[in-house]
Every structure is written in structure tokens, then in C-alpha cells.
Amino acid sequence: QVQLVESGGGLVHSGDSLKLSCAASERTFFSYGMAWFRQAPGKEREFVAAINWSAGSTYYANSVKGRFTISKDNAKNTMSLQMNSLKPEDTAVYYCASQDRGFYSDPTLVDVYNTWGQGTQVTVSS
């Protein structure tokens, strides 16, 4: 089974930037669509951003539009999330997810994705 590994999390001050990366355990890994979700303590996992692997179409939650950018690197089979102007409310564990089976409807829904990483902690202090 393919595994996804997130990296790049850390502790930063409000207004700073971070770049998260998600790498697949297999070099030949293929995904129809990938996404970033986040989950803060005591809250449900929420959608952050998604990208269609073939077309490159992107989707963003309203809370991160204009601040976050999702992208992919076909050669390295990686996905990244550039986070700028970070706010304390962005503090959460960030997860990457993949839809590997061909079914891809609403990219903002948790149930669309079948493969998940373990998450990386992002903490933004005020």
C-alpha cells in the first residue's frame, strides 16, 4: 500500500510563512487528485486546498484564499502547500490526502480521499 509522508511543519510567528510537502513512498505513485486538510484540537478535520493531478485545477477554502498556494511537482511525485501570512487560527495538524481509485467528485470532502498521511504540526504564535 502506498504511503504519504508530510514534512515542513513547525513553530512560526503570525505573519510568517511555511511550506509543507507531501511525498509518496512509491516513485511510480499516481493520483487523480490530492488535497490538504487540517485538524485543530477538539475540531473536525477541515478542507484547506486541493489539486487535480492531470489538469492542475486548484480549489481553496475561503479561509485561506489569497494566502495559501497548492502545487505539484510531477518529476518528484510531490505536492506542496505554500502558506503565507500565517495566523494563529491556522494552527493545526496538516494532512495530505490522495484519491487513487479514479472516483473524484467534490474535492473538498474528506470521504473523497482514500489515502492519508500521518500529518505534520503547524503552530502559529501571536
Side-chain angles (χ1 to χ4, degrees):
Q1 186 74 24
V2 173
Q3 297 181 3
L4 301 177
V5 180
E6 303 95 337
S7 62
L11 173 63
V12 297
H13 190 270
S14 62
D16 288 348
S17 298
L18 276 177
K19 187 175 183 179
L20 306 183
S21 295
C22 176
S25 61
E26 300 289 341
R27 293 182 179 180
T28 58
F29 171 76
F30 176 81
S31 175
Y32 292 91
M34 299 189 73
W36 289 96
F37 288 78
R38 65 187 182 187
Q39 187 167 22
K43 300 184 66 177
E44 295 184 351
R45 191 165 300 189
E46 68 170 341
F47 171 77
V48 177
I51 186 168
N52 178 280
W53 201 256
S54 296
S57 304
T58 58
Y59 310 84
Y60 296 95
N62 290 333
S63 60
V64 305
K65 285 183 179 178
R67 299 190 298 120
F68 291 9
T69 303
I70 189 172
S71 62
K72 61 184 179 70
D73 188 325
N74 293 337
K76 298 181 179 180
N77 281 333
T78 58
M79 177 184 66
S80 65
L81 182 69
Q82 178 65 49
M83 305 184 294
N84 299 326
S85 301
L86 284 164
K87 307 174 181 180
E89 50 262 44
D90 294 319
T91 296
V93 176
Y94 283 70
Y95 300 89
C96 64
S98 174
Q99 166 44 251
D100 314 321
R101 301 174 181 174
F103 179 76
Y104 199 78
S105 56
D106 188 343
T108 70
L109 300 179
V110 169
D111 291 345
V112 164
Y113 303 92
N114 59 278
T115 302
W116 293 81
Q118 292 295 320
T120 184
Q121 177 70 48
V122 173
T123 303
V124 185
S125 65
S126 59

